[in-house]
Amino acid sequence: DLGCEEWDNNDWDNNDNAERALKHWIISAALGDDSPIEFMMEMSEEGYVSKDDLAAALRAHQAAVNSAKSPQREAAEEYRRKMKSSN
């Protein structure tokens, strides 16, 4: 996961690591990954991520999710749900 190396380093006296981790989480969220959004929400509650950075990541994530939508994907997801519920 992007941002994990910088976060796990725990060298918060060196703010570059925190900034680098945040940038990596935003990039990953902008690619449609859900896990950095969840993590950034937790870190926002603890004061490590600003509300502005979290909002930017949420907007980028939503844009990625919206751009991946298509009638074919929605039909495939519906089919998968039907198959799962029939088992």
Side-chain angles (χ1 to χ4, degrees):
D1 287 325
L2 291 173
C4 290
E5 181 67 29
E6 295 87 3
W7 183 258
D8 289 342
N9 192 0
N10 289 325
D11 184 13
W12 294 109
D13 293 330
N14 178 359
N15 196 36
D16 291 342
N17 283 343
E19 289 296 319
R20 187 175 303 130
L22 179 60
K23 286 179 185 178
H24 284 150
W25 291 328
I26 292 172
I27 290 167
S28 186
L31 295 173
D33 188 3
D34 295 333
S35 58
I37 294 295
E38 295 166 7
F39 190 70
M40 287 178 68
M41 288 177 143
E42 292 174 20
M43 294 299 99
S44 177
E45 290 173 5
E46 294 180 24
Y48 291 112
V49 175
S50 73
K51 289 182 180 183
D52 289 339
D53 287 333
L54 179 58
L58 286 168
R59 284 191 302 271
H61 179 267
Q62 190 60 50
V65 169
N66 289 344
S67 71
K69 290 183 180 179
S70 72
Q72 293 86 0
R73 285 180 191 241
E74 291 174 10
E77 180 62 23
E78 181 64 26
Y79 178 76
R80 186 191 66 77
R81 275 190 243 128
K82 286 180 181 178
M83 294 303 292
K84 189 176 182 179
S85 67
S86 69
N87 290 334

